[in-house]
Amino acid sequence: MKKLFLTFSAAIVVAFAAQAQTEKGKVILGGSVSYDYSKVKDADTESQAFGIQPTVGFFVSDNFAIGTGIGYGYEENTATAGATFEANKLSTFNVAPFARLYKGDGDFKFFGQLSVPMAWGTAKSEDTDLGTTARYGVELAPGFAYFPTSKIGIELSVRGLYYQNSSIKPEGSDDKVSSNSFGLNANSLAPRLGVQFYF
């Protein structure tokens, strides 16, 4: 009887701890850091990109959080010896407000996140300003979270459904060059893996 009572008590504590992670009034902290590098041997070019974006969210009701990410991104495409074009650099200030809904009980919960990623920055060739850039998008990303403790969530998600508008306004001109992209990226072979902290 004592074993049954202890097992039952432990199950209640685990269930309560899992529920408490996504209850109203809690805070979720996370973010992303990325670095990409590529080199095209025959074209004598290389590119690198760096980004950092911490995020914070608040549970306005049980299993529903709203928040934002604020960060910085940098991209550089450079020409090595023998190439025919100059270096291009892009630095951006990024903001990504989001709303996230969790479903499920226990240590595993599914979630859907709707975010609105935006970025504003400058494009340069060496030390010459080429113009200003802007990106606006919408993204619906599904995923699931595993809670090994009451304060840590390990997440696996895919980019999902997305739309993005990118534009550049050349220096000294009122005209903008813009492009639109839309897609569904549910590649299970290249998921996003992350860790969030719940307080």
Side-chain angles (χ1 to χ4, degrees):
M1 186 70 171
K2 187 175 181 183
K3 273 188 181 178
L4 181 62
F5 176 74
L6 289 175
T7 304
F8 184 68
S9 297
I12 289 174
V13 168
V14 169
F16 178 74
Q19 181 65 25
Q21 292 152 348
T22 59
E23 71 181 8
K24 182 177 179 179
K26 296 288 183 180
V27 176
I28 180 173
L29 296 174
S32 64
V33 176
S34 63
Y35 178 77
D36 293 309
Y37 175 82
S38 65
K39 183 174 184 176
V40 180
K41 183 178 179 182
D42 294 337
D44 291 326
T45 64
E46 57 186 343
S47 64
Q48 60 181 335
F50 168 77
I52 184 166
Q53 185 162 302
T55 60
V56 62
F58 302 95
F59 284 90
V60 294
S61 65
D62 289 353
N63 295 317
F64 182 69
I66 59 171
T68 192
I70 298 175
Y72 172 77
Y74 178 79
E75 299 172 27
E76 183 175 356
N77 300 305
T78 58
T80 55
T84 58
F85 59 91
E86 298 179 0
N88 293 310
K89 301 175 184 178
L90 175 67
S91 57
T92 58
F93 170 72
N94 307 321
V95 177
F98 67 86
R100 179 182 280 203
L101 179 64
Y102 289 83
K103 289 289 184 186
D105 294 319
D107 294 341
F108 287 92
K109 290 191 179 189
F110 291 96
F111 66 84
Q113 179 169 300
L114 177 66
S115 60
V116 183
M118 299 173 280
W120 304 272
T122 57
K124 292 184 178 184
S125 177
E126 293 297 334
D127 293 325
T128 305
D129 284 345
L130 297 177
T132 58
T133 64
R135 293 181 195 158
Y136 301 95
V138 177
E139 186 176 300
L140 182 59
F144 72 88
Y146 166 63
F147 297 96
T149 72
S150 62
K151 297 201 182 293
I152 296 176
I154 299 172
E155 298 180 354
L156 191 65
S157 65
V158 294
R159 186 175 186 190
L161 190 63
Y162 66 91
Y163 166 79
Q164 180 175 289
N165 172 272
S166 302
S167 65
I168 183 166
K169 183 177 176 183
E171 190 74 22
S173 173
D174 291 334
D175 296 329
K176 283 196 303 187
V177 177
S178 62
S179 63
N180 295 305
S181 58
F182 174 80
L184 174 63
N185 186 342
N187 186 353
S188 62
L189 298 177
R192 294 189 255 190
L193 182 64
V195 176
Q196 300 278 4
F197 299 95
Y198 297 77
F199 300 97

